[in-house]
Amino acid sequence: MPRLAALLLVLLIAAPAAARPPLAENEPIIRQLFAAAVGDRIRKTCPTISAKMLLVMTKAAALERYALDQGYTPEEIDAFLNDKAERARMDARVDAYLAERGVRPGDAEDHCRVGEAEIAENSPMGELLRSR
């Protein structure tokens, strides 16, 4: 009986770790990182839009807590955030999102137009931004 209890305990502890997808496939995490990446691109290119930095930092801390609660280690999180291939994949996704909205790379006016629309919609990207 003690062996069975120990085995069940091991299975219960191991199950969440085994069941969690790689960070790159964790949709809630990717969705929030994508919103932040779009917002960051807009604020860097549009001179009349800035980030709500306190909100951005609060959401970043909450996202990290969420990832840790999902069973990811701080090392896994850091490795994912610093992975050049993952960054390139996210950049390509941001490029595609902006291109779908008629944004030309580097064009401040296009970025401002889309940024203002995101702010007006209070989209996940827009809630991180403010007009100056």
Side-chain angles (χ1 to χ4, degrees):
M1 193 67 150
R3 278 192 174 164
L4 179 59
L7 178 60
L8 286 174
L9 182 62
V10 168
L11 290 175
L12 287 173
I13 291 171
R20 67 182 167 81
L23 272 165
E25 296 172 15
N26 187 306
E27 199 52 42
I29 290 173
I30 295 303
R31 226 182 358 261
Q32 288 190 42
L33 290 175
F34 176 69
V38 171
D40 192 48
R41 178 81 61 84
I42 289 170
R43 76 156 181 101
K44 285 180 176 176
T45 310
C46 175
T48 60
I49 293 179
S50 62
K52 295 178 184 174
M53 288 310 291
L54 183 57
L55 180 60
V56 169
M57 293 171 69
T58 300
K59 285 188 169 277
L63 187 57
E64 181 178 23
R65 276 192 311 278
Y66 173 81
L68 291 169
D69 290 347
Q70 296 296 304
Y72 299 101
T73 66
E75 295 78 19
E76 287 174 308
I77 295 167
D78 286 343
F80 174 72
L81 293 174
N82 293 312
D83 185 283
K84 290 180 182 178
E86 290 301 333
R87 276 187 195 244
R89 197 173 356 269
M90 184 64 72
D91 284 343
R93 206 171 151 201
V94 170
D95 291 343
Y97 180 84
L98 293 172
E100 287 171 7
R101 284 151 184 77
V103 174
R104 293 168 298 206
D107 186 281
E109 190 174 305
D110 287 350
H111 282 78
C112 292
R113 176 181 47 77
V114 170
E116 292 295 342
E118 296 288 352
I119 291 167
E121 282 180 29
N122 199 33
S123 70
M125 297 80 167
E127 75 176 348
L128 303 174
L129 301 171
R130 74 174 47 142
S131 298
R132 291 192 220 177

